Amino acid sequence: MHQSTNDILALCDEILLAILNRLNSIDVLYSIIGVNERLDRLARDISFTRSIDLVTILSNEDNPSKTSSILNRFCFDILPRIQHNIECLTLDPLSIDRVLRIGNYPKLDQLTLVNLPPLLMSRIFDDESSIIHRFKNNITHLSVTMNEVSTCDFIQNLVVNVVNTIFIIFTNLTCLHFGLQDACLYSPTLLIDFLPTTRFSSNVVHLNISVCDLDDCLYLLDGRLSQLQTFIVEVYMISKTSMLLNNMETVSKLKCFSLSSFLFTTEYDSQIVPLLHQMSQLENLTLSLLVCDRASFIDGTHLINDIASKMSYLNAFIFNITTTGTTMDEELYPTSDEVSRVLIQAGYNVECYIDCSQLGLGSCHIYSLPFTMERMDTFVDNFPDGVFLTVRHLFVHDLFRPFEHDFFIQISQSCPLLHKLTISNSNAQQKKFMHQQNEHEQTSSIVQFSHLMILDLSMASLDYAEQFLFDFNTHLPCLNTLLINYYILVNATQYFTNNPARATCSKLQRIICEEKPKMYPENFCAYFPLLKKIKASS
């Protein structure tokens, strides 16, 4: 080891820095600071000390004592030596108070706080004695994500107060991202419900936020954010609104606008399109929408003639739009080529597929390529061709036809990095499960979801619990969270005795049910040995 160290030290500074730059900067600091005077000096180079992300290194440790030891070393030995270089800090609840108290951080202007429980978030921002207020004039970029969502009034009011406080106390704030720690796990039923009296910082040029309804979105565009150029918003519900934009200056100056919503809306033509027509200076537009009960599909002709052509500066248009519930004679349905032709002629790469249900209700999913969004919704029992590497949350829904085993094989191959899968289907599977096939029949391959951590079966029938929990049907090595009806879980596991489901269930750390029994069977804990929380869904 001594000889190896000498060999390394024989290299010149330029080569050593080149080697260190290929390593994780936090690993470099943790491993080298205090070990050798020369290596120590190199490790304190601005390239390793400008941005410090303690969340990554602490979250990789399962041993609490090791986590505490790492944090102690950073707080006592490392951060005091490099605080004058730090411009960006990423912290979690374990590290926030300790790290912010040990230094002045004169260059700190970017702060990211992740995984905050609502009460801690309130204490940090609402309490004027909180250490974070020391940096209120320095922070220009702030990102806050919370780890718990509830629809109760207390939490809703708390979050609104926190956001209002952020806008008020950070006088030089130019960029704000406020959202959920894991958007895959929770739906944004809470988030921001703004009042017309909400105060904002006029310096903000970049805002990324989730809101309850379209009124909240329009409040943010009423002129108080006069410098806003980039607005990324997820709207939980796009419904009819009587609110009018009286001040069009903010809207007309926007350069980048991203709108997403994952509940169906009937107000696309009456609310969304007129709003987009006011954004004459847009350079980048992203739309991810579910539209229902429209007389015709949203197609390439509409997207070019009614949206893109109205924005003379537009150079990037990303879209992921599903129209469903459209009623027309099947022979009048356009083909996929007809839906996408005008977009392709305009130079866009696009994919589209069309489906007709048993009741004559048509669906059309049109999206730009490459697909760059983290969520995809599909409402048919077939899945589009291609590989979607960015998709982390997939919602599959069909009212009339079951999802069979082969369908799940296809989506596991098309979305190899899937983090959450939501299934909405009450139709019984028609094809036999693997364990029901006799030895003379060719058995299907096991479905592999190598990265799936969250499985939502709360809107699915018993067949899908058996499809995913039985290890000879589906392999889920990373699954830790299950949303399911408790009594379907009871039936699938045969009162927590079924061996085929035991391996998958033994990995679960969280179960979310619509209702819970007053008492659990004696073997419940043994069947779920890692279970940390079982709670009723709100």
Side-chain angles (χ1 to χ4, degrees), residues 115-344:
N115 203 27
L116 297 190
L119 291 179
L120 175 60
M121 184 174 62
S122 177
R123 178 179 66 78
I124 289 173
F125 293 106
D126 286 345
D127 184 356
E128 291 187 5
S129 64
S130 168
I131 190 67
I132 203 170
H133 285 247
R134 182 198 299 174
F135 306 98
K136 64 182 182 181
N137 296 323
N138 302 74
I139 300 300
T140 60
H141 292 66
L142 178 65
S143 177
V144 180
T145 51
M146 60 182 181
N147 69 354
E148 181 178 339
V149 170
S150 169
T151 56
C152 69
D153 291 340
F154 168 73
I155 298 295
Q156 286 181 327
N157 292 333
L158 183 152
V159 172
V160 172
N161 289 338
V162 167
V163 174
N164 290 342
T165 301
I166 288 173
F167 278 121
I168 293 170
I169 67 173
F170 292 97
T171 56
N172 293 311
L173 191 66
T174 61
C175 179
L176 173 63
H177 175 195
F178 188 96
L180 301 177
Q181 173 63 20
D182 194 340
C184 286
L185 181 54
Y186 298 108
S187 297
T189 53
L190 155 69
L191 302 188
I192 313 305
D193 189 3
F194 287 111
L195 298 175
T197 56
T198 301
R199 296 172 59 186
F200 301 115
S201 167
S202 61
N203 297 322
V204 174
V205 297
H206 181 109
L207 180 61
N208 185 335
I209 202 163
S210 300
V211 299
C212 286
D213 56 35
L214 193 59
D215 280 350
D216 300 321
C217 178
L218 297 180
Y219 284 141
L220 291 166
L221 294 172
D222 70 354
R224 282 171 286 186
L225 293 169
S226 58
Q227 304 302 313
L228 192 63
Q229 295 185 16
T230 297
F231 185 30
I232 301 170
V233 60
E234 180 178 328
V235 181
Y236 175 64
M237 179 181 297
I238 299 177
S239 54
K240 189 174 182 63
T241 177
S242 58
M243 183 177 175
L244 299 176
L245 279 175
N246 297 320
N247 187 328
M248 301 306 302
E249 184 178 359
T250 299
V251 180
S252 62
K253 291 197 304 186
L254 282 177
K255 303 296 184 184
C256 175
F257 181 58
S258 173
L259 173 65
S260 59
S261 183
F262 302 111
L263 284 184
F264 278 107
T265 180
T266 60
E267 303 299 326
Y268 173 80
D269 292 284
S270 61
Q271 305 289 342
I272 303 305
V273 174
L275 176 62
L276 294 175
H277 285 175
Q278 307 302 318
M279 301 179 179
S280 57
Q281 302 298 307
L282 274 189
E283 298 173 3
N284 297 278
L285 174 63
T286 299
L287 296 175
S288 184
L289 299 169
L290 303 175
V291 180
C292 65
D293 299 336
R294 196 172 185 268
S296 60
F297 297 145
I298 295 174
D299 61 6
T301 301
H302 164 76
L303 292 177
I304 291 296
N305 294 344
D306 293 342
I307 295 181
S309 65
K310 308 294 184 183
M311 304 170 181
S312 56
Y313 298 96
L314 192 67
N315 56 45
F317 184 18
I318 299 171
F319 48 87
N320 172 38
I321 301 175
T322 295
T323 317
T324 193
T326 300
T327 304
M328 65 178 76
D329 293 335
E330 188 170 354
E331 61 269 17
L332 298 178
Y333 275 25
T335 65
S336 296
D337 288 342
E338 291 171 335
V339 168
S340 56
R341 181 179 299 132
V342 174
L343 279 164
I344 293 173

Side-chain angles (χ1 to χ4, degrees), residues 464-482:
Y464 302 100
E466 295 175 342
Q467 167 73 53
F468 280 87
L469 298 182
F470 290 0
D471 57 9
F472 47 64
N473 285 326
T474 308
H475 184 48
L476 304 172
C478 296
L479 186 70
N480 60 42
T481 300
L482 176 67

Side-chain angles (χ1 to χ4, degrees), residues 492-504:
T493 60
Q494 297 177 3
Y495 281 90
F496 315 112
T497 63
N498 188 299
N499 284 328
R502 189 181 299 274
T504 299

Side-chain angles (χ1 to χ4, degrees), residues 24-57:
N24 180 280
S25 60
I26 299 298
D27 291 338
V28 169
L29 293 172
Y30 183 73
S31 304
I32 293 180
I33 290 287
V35 172
N36 173 277
E37 183 176 350
R38 182 180 171 214
L39 292 177
D40 185 281
R41 173 175 56 81
L42 293 175
R44 285 186 282 112
D45 183 85
I46 189 69
S47 60
F48 304 113
T49 56
R50 178 184 291 113
S51 179
I52 302 298
D53 182 352
L54 288 179
V55 174
T56 301
I57 191 169

Side-chain angles (χ1 to χ4, degrees), residues 353 355 363 378-383 396-398 401 403 407:
Y353 60 94
D355 182 74
S363 297
T378 181
F379 296 85
V380 296
D381 65 340
N382 54 63
F383 197 76
V396 295
H397 170 88
D398 198 306
R401 294 156 296 195
F403 296 129
F407 172 78

